[in-house]
Amino acid sequence: MTSAAGPADGAPGAGWGAMPTTAGEFRLRPVRLPADLELLAGWMNDPEIAAFWDLAGPPAATERHVRAQLDGDGHSEPCLGLLDGTPMSYWEIYRADLDPLAAHYPARPHDTGVHLLLGPADRRGRGLGATLLAALADRILRERPGCARVVAEPDVRNRRSVRAFERAGFRAAAELDLPDKRAALMIRDR
């Protein structure tokens, strides 16, 4: 796992500590396999999540996806998001400028990307995503001085996600045709 800054300013870290929010204390911790697999696979099989993550099915599908990041080059870090100590979200924080995404937009050095899902259905649709996104974007920009912006690329059909990014201070910069989806390029500048 990476340190707080990550290797060569790689993926930001779960070592950043607590992020106070109006919803409670938000914290990231690295995904632990196999301990977290049942929880993550359950979330991935929720129809609302499966529509955009394409990881529904047996736990092995989720494990392959997460394991590729854990065993990868250190530029992407899969994390569980905990709110007041309770796991309730999944996050991938990655160097967007070193990701295949960079071929689809005018990437800048040290752009940091964010993927997220809110696991339990009762956590969705209440503005919590925007609250947590804002806290994490603030922390990324504070902890990574070389990063001038945080980016995301939610599926354009996922209006709730796009709205959460907008409420968290991101702006819709473009629509991108990615190999697996049409995405809204969302950018939060320093």
Side-chain angles (χ1 to χ4, degrees):
M1 199 48 52
T2 62
S3 67
D9 202 20
W16 284 345
M19 292 169 258
T21 74
T22 57
E25 182 183 272
F26 177 53
R27 177 181 304 272
L28 296 177
R29 78 152 169 82
V31 169
R32 299 177 191 132
L33 293 179
D36 296 326
L37 185 57
E38 184 177 333
L39 177 66
L40 291 174
W43 290 345
M44 295 299 181
N45 279 284
D46 178 301
E48 188 175 340
I49 292 169
F52 300 107
W53 278 78
D54 295 326
L55 290 173
T62 299
E63 183 173 15
R64 278 189 301 275
H65 177 80
V66 173
R67 178 75 57 205
Q69 293 173 77
L70 292 172
D71 296 343
D73 60 12
H75 295 301
S76 181
E77 187 171 7
C79 297
L80 275 184
L82 290 80
L83 192 59
D84 292 329
T86 301
M88 47 66 65
S89 54
Y90 172 70
W91 300 77
E92 295 173 350
I93 304 163
Y94 63 99
R95 281 285 302 272
D97 62 320
L98 302 177
D99 189 81
L101 174 64
H104 299 276
Y105 82 104
R108 295 181 187 163
H110 305 283
D111 278 355
T112 299
V114 176
H115 297 142
L116 82 142
L117 67 84
L118 298 182
D122 67 349
R123 299 291 187 145
R124 298 181 221 138
R126 301 180 310 131
L128 183 58
T131 298
L132 301 181
L133 278 167
L136 181 57
D138 287 347
R139 182 61 58 95
I140 289 169
L141 294 170
R142 182 171 45 254
E143 295 290 332
R144 299 193 63 222
C147 175
R149 60 192 188 166
V150 180
V151 302
E153 80 290 346
D155 190 304
V156 295
R157 298 170 300 143
N158 191 345
R159 294 300 311 149
R160 284 170 53 169
S161 181
V162 171
R163 281 193 305 272
F165 279 101
E166 290 171 339
R167 287 192 306 269
F170 289 72
R171 64 181 165 80
E175 288 192 5
L176 307 175
D177 289 313
L178 301 179
D180 59 342
K181 65 184 173 186
R182 180 138 179 96
L185 176 64
M186 308 298 295
I187 297 176
R188 165 102 181 259
D189 294 300
R190 178 175 295 284

